[in-house]
Structure formats: structure tokens, C-alpha cells
Amino acid sequence: MEYDYEKLKSAGRVSKDALLYARTVIKPGRRLIDAAEQIEKFIADKGCKHAFPVNLSTNEQAAHYTPEFDDARIIGEKDVIKVDLGARKDTYLTDCAVTVCLDSEYSSLVDASEKALENAISMVKAGRKVTEIGAEIEKTAKQSGFKVIRNLGGHGISQEDLHANVFIPNFANGDNTALEEGSVIAIEPFITTGIGSVTDGSFLQIFQLASDNTPRSTDAREAQAIIEREFSTYPFAMRWMIKQMGQEFRARKAVAELITIGNLDTFPVLVEKGNGMVAQSEKTLIVTKDACEIVT
Ligand code: CO
């Protein structure tokens, strides 16, 4: 089937607007969960599904923090919050992020991630080697006095998979893979005051269907059916499952069983190893012969 760029672009417009909207709901003193739910509602109201749960990772968390059910966290005066979201139109997915910095203390860090993204995008064209894009991102970070996070990076986006085909490093990793005309990619510099690496934290709220082994308990069988029907193979949040099943205890137990039997992939929060502050900027774009077309 022919790739429908118009569907991708319409999901792109919704995601771009959702990032702008996010800036209006992320305010000190508000609950993080309220912001996440408002942003997700915005995307749904515009006629898109979610490519993945809205991620609101704070300070030394680089990615994969989506608020849990009844999350008590309140947005602080000095928080550096990465808003990472994706809209889905049928099977067409976007992935984009901005960093909301509520205090001027870290605005240079945020500016560096935006500048790195801008410089990286200016280099995109068919045939460009991914290591050259990584070099540009790293150069921009260094010039601003910061480090890149080396074990995170951009990626190709296919219809089935948010992370497909190509990895776009945030430093010169020597990978001479060339970008292909017409391909859809996301570029996402992560810039930090820390040591430049992330590791898994213990907080885990994001899951994705990986297999369809038959679970033993009725609750887990119900959860499996809900995932297949409502979330398909796209990542989902525990709080979504709790809403679907109506009971927190049942939902948590069912998801735990599905993990044990290998039916779910898990995405724990990613934390900067040196506990440095982290800023991220991300856009989805289409590679063209001489440059690119920005989608989000
Ligand atoms: Co991404």
C-alpha cells in the first residue's frame, strides 16, 4: 500500500499544537497527572489516537515518566519538564518533544537542545550519514558547555513501529548509514549537565504488547483482550489499563502476570547516571532529496 504522507502530516499538526497546549497546562503548583491527562485529551479531541502515553519526565529523568494512577507529584517552581508526545492517525505515527523550563536557571540547557535540533535538521537530506548528524548535535552541545546523552538518540518511524530502521546518534558514532529519500525520522538531542548517559530507574508505568501467550488468570486474560482491542501494539500506560478494568488492584496484578509470561515489553523511567539536569527537543520529519519537510 502507498504511504499516505497526508495522514502523517495531519497527525503532525495535532502533535505540534499539543506541544503548544502543553506549555499552557504545565505550571508550578499543578498536579503532573492533570497536565498529562489534559494533553492526552487535547490529542483525542483533535481526532487522533496516542502513539504512546504522554511522557512528562522531570529534571534528571530523561524519558519514560508518564504519571501513574493518582500520581501525587506537584509541578515545582524550578522543574525542567520534558514533554514527549506522539499522535496517531490510523497507522501513521509522530514523535516530538519540547522541554518546559519553569526557571531561568536552566534556560541555557534548554536552548542548547533546541539549537542542537535546529542544527541537526539543517543537515538532513537524502544520503546524509547518521554519524554526521550526531557529530553536529555533539558539537552544538559542547559549544554550550554541556554533554549529550550518548545512549539515547533519534530513530526511523515506520507505520508499525515508533523506533524502526535507523538509529540517529547524538554523537559521532561512526555509523555511515545514509538517510533515505522519503523516509520518516525523528531527531531528538538529549543535552545534560551530568555525565552523558542514562540508566533504568525503578518507576515503571509504560508497557507494550509483545506476545499473545494465554494467561492463567481470568483477570490477565481480560487485560490481554483489552490491550489487543484498545492499545494494539502501541505503548500504553498503567493508568489507562486501570481505567479500562475499573479496579486498580486487579489491573496491576493482571499486568504483572502478563509481564511474567512474556506478553509485555516494559519501559522503565530513564534517569541520567550523574543525576544531571536533562533537556530534550524532538521533531518528526520526512527526508527529501535536498533537505527535509518538518512534520511536527
Ligand atoms: Co523519539
Side-chain angles (χ1 to χ4, degrees):
M1 206 174 66
E2 189 104 335
Y3 191 91
D4 189 344
Y5 287 101
E6 286 315 309
K7 281 192 178 163
L8 178 74
K9 287 177 195 175
S10 85
R13 283 188 291 272
V14 171
S15 0
K16 195 176 172 180
D17 288 346
L19 286 181
L20 290 173
Y21 174 74
R23 291 184 183 279
T24 70
V25 297
I26 295 179
K27 298 285 178 200
R30 291 199 187 167
R31 296 203 310 165
L32 202 62
I33 177 100
D34 292 339
E37 287 183 341
Q38 283 174 291
I39 298 162
E40 286 175 356
K41 183 175 184 303
F42 180 96
I43 293 170
D45 286 348
K46 300 275 173 181
C48 282
K49 301 224 176 211
H50 301 292
F52 53 90
V54 169
N55 283 213
L56 298 175
S57 308
T58 303
N59 302 337
E60 74 285 355
Q61 298 166 346
H64 297 171
Y65 188 102
T66 200
E68 63 179 327
F69 185 74
D70 274 343
D71 199 297
R73 188 159 192 156
I74 303 287
I75 300 169
E77 299 275 349
K78 287 176 179 263
D79 280 348
V80 175
I81 299 183
K82 277 71 60 183
V83 184
D84 193 342
L85 58 85
R88 172 160 73 85
K89 197 94 192 162
D90 298 337
T91 54
Y92 295 88
L93 313 168
T94 64
D95 187 1
C96 56
V98 293
T99 299
V100 179
C101 181
L102 300 164
D103 187 274
S104 59
E105 194 177 343
Y106 292 105
S107 51
S108 62
L109 183 71
V110 177
D111 291 348
S113 77
E114 280 170 11
K115 188 79 191 144
L117 177 59
E118 199 180 298
N119 290 347
I121 287 175
S122 75
M123 296 188 68
V124 172
K125 61 174 184 179
R128 174 70 74 192
K129 292 170 180 167
V130 295
T131 189
E132 295 173 325
I133 294 172
E136 185 66 26
I137 291 170
E138 188 173 32
K139 191 177 89 185
T140 310
K142 273 192 182 151
Q143 280 167 351
S144 311
F146 302 112
K147 287 185 179 145
V148 298
I149 292 181
R150 291 166 79 98
N151 56 346
L152 289 175
H155 46 92
I157 301 177
S158 74
Q159 284 179 269
E160 302 79 27
D161 193 350
L162 201 61
H163 295 92
N165 310 325
V166 62
F167 177 75
I168 301 164
N170 286 329
F171 66 104
N173 69 345
D175 181 352
N176 288 320
T177 303
L179 296 178
E180 284 176 29
E181 186 175 351
S183 64
V184 179
I185 60 169
I187 298 182
E188 51 181 321
F190 283 84
I191 311 290
T192 184
T193 62
I195 65 169
S197 179
V198 290
T199 188
D200 288 354
S202 56
F203 185 86
L204 171 63
Q205 294 292 320
I206 303 174
F207 311 89
Q208 183 175 17
L209 189 63
S211 192
D212 61 355
N213 303 309
T214 307
R216 216 161 54 88
S217 77
T218 16
D219 282 349
R221 280 202 290 273
E222 182 187 335
Q224 177 81 16
I226 288 169
I227 295 164
E228 287 170 5
R229 188 182 71 232
E230 301 290 330
F231 313 138
S232 181
T233 54
Y234 303 102
F236 66 91
M238 178 65 90
R239 58 190 159 81
W240 295 359
M241 180 56 88
I242 292 170
K243 272 188 193 148
Q244 287 285 335
M245 292 188 75
Q247 264 179 314
E248 185 179 355
F249 176 72
R250 264 193 339 118
R252 287 190 191 279
K253 227 171 131 254
V255 167
E257 184 178 335
L258 294 180
I259 293 169
T260 305
I261 62 170
N263 281 14
L264 296 179
D265 285 336
T266 57
F267 299 91
V269 68
L270 298 172
V271 182
E272 213 286 324
K273 271 186 181 170
N275 276 316
M277 278 286 166
V278 181
Q280 171 207 18
S281 300
E282 179 176 24
K283 284 184 196 290
T284 297
L285 41 98
I286 304 163
V287 180
T288 62
K289 188 167 172 289
D290 302 307
C292 68
E293 192 176 343
I294 297 172
V295 168
T296 59

